[in-house]
Amino acid sequence: MALFAVIGLGSFGATVALELTQLNHDVIGIDTTKKYVESIADKISHAVIADATDERVLDELNIKNCDAVVVAIGENIEASILCVLHLKNLGIEKIWVKAKSKSHHMILSHLGITKIIHPEEDMGIRIAQSLSYPMIRRYMALNNERYIVKAEIAANLQGMQYQTLMEEAYDLKTLLLQRGSHVLYEIAPGTILQEKDILIIEGPVEMLKKLSTRFL
């Protein structure tokens, strides 16, 4: 269990705070808007009405004890940057910040931020990937070239042997096969695939694209 702070409890910030709570972490949620704080107060560890552009306030909330801080301040770019500067002054090393624009991103990139987030852009990419590769339910980028994907076996692949599906995917590694509640970490080449089986596959993006054509 870790301790995180989420500053800015609009739609994006609240989603992050709630998901971290679901993952059994302690979360401090901070916003200047009373209704945002009240709407989440009984769902996370701590919810506080406070001004995160005031360094003394952040210090009093013991933000420096957090494992990481997410700055999800929405429209006010100045407030976002000022908050980040205070967090840096307090010695916070791991800071994730939601960027609103290219200029906002450029300024943040010069402040040594751990990660700059573009929620709308990232969601757009995920939607495009899902439309382009319908068998992919989820994916995670390891770097610009390698991904881990969650692929579901469709009806047209019912009865196919695992080795047949993967015969041209020489640079991919299947991490597991899930069938209902049963999970296989070692998959025999002759395993017969069933509709709705889930494969977790890791490898280079070009090889994953090539494999995706087998699911169409």
Side-chain angles (χ1 to χ4, degrees):
M1 180 184 292
L3 174 62
F4 298 101
V6 178
I7 300 173
L9 297 174
S11 178
F12 173 72
T15 299
V16 173
L18 291 171
E19 185 65 21
L20 286 170
T21 300
Q22 287 292 317
L23 294 170
N24 296 317
H25 296 298
D26 285 330
V27 178
I28 302 172
I30 303 168
D31 202 294
T32 56
T33 304
K34 182 179 179 181
K35 67 176 182 179
Y36 289 161
V37 174
E38 289 181 342
S39 69
I40 204 172
D42 60 345
K43 300 172 185 175
I44 64 175
S45 309
H46 311 282
V48 183
I49 301 172
D51 182 4
T53 65
D54 188 330
E55 186 173 342
R56 290 175 299 177
V57 170
L58 293 174
D59 192 26
E60 289 171 1
L61 290 173
N62 291 319
I63 293 296
K64 57 189 173 184
N65 292 329
C66 291
D67 295 277
V69 177
V70 178
V71 179
I73 296 173
E75 300 295 329
N76 193 333
I77 295 175
E78 182 180 350
S80 171
I81 294 169
L82 189 57
C83 176
V84 168
L85 289 172
H86 292 330
L87 293 172
K88 299 287 286 186
N89 287 339
L90 290 171
I92 306 297
E93 295 183 359
K94 195 169 184 179
I95 305 172
W96 289 37
V97 186
K98 173 186 174 182
K100 185 63 181 175
S101 63
K102 288 184 178 179
S103 58
H104 190 191
H105 182 115
M106 182 177 67
I107 294 170
L108 292 171
S109 66
H110 289 290
L111 296 178
I113 302 306
T114 307
K115 185 174 179 62
I116 302 172
I117 311 161
H118 294 269
E120 294 84 2
E121 180 180 321
D122 292 344
M123 181 56 70
I125 291 171
R126 289 181 180 274
I127 290 171
Q129 290 283 358
S130 296
L131 289 171
S132 182
Y133 310 115
M135 87 293 184
I136 295 177
R137 294 294 175 252
R138 291 187 179 182
Y139 72 91
M140 179 178 70
L142 299 178
N143 52 43
N144 290 333
E145 297 297 329
R146 301 187 74 88
Y147 285 75
I148 295 176
V149 302
K150 177 182 179 181
E152 182 174 320
I153 299 300
N156 65 305
L157 298 176
Q158 168 84 20
M160 179 182 287
Q161 288 190 355
Y162 168 74
Q163 63 182 358
T164 302
L165 175 67
M166 305 296 291
E167 60 188 354
E168 296 182 8
Y170 53 85
D171 200 22
L172 297 179
K173 180 179 180 181
T174 302
L175 304 178
L176 62 87
L177 182 153
Q178 180 178 342
R179 179 171 295 163
S181 60
H182 187 54
V183 177
L184 293 174
Y185 294 98
E186 297 292 336
I187 308 167
T191 298
I192 302 299
L193 298 172
Q194 298 180 11
E195 185 179 1
K196 296 190 181 300
D197 281 352
I198 298 293
L199 295 173
I200 307 297
I201 306 167
E202 184 275 330
V205 64
E206 290 303 320
M207 188 59 64
L208 289 167
K209 287 179 180 179
K210 185 175 181 179
L211 177 65
S212 71
T213 61
R214 304 295 301 273
F215 289 77
L216 300 177

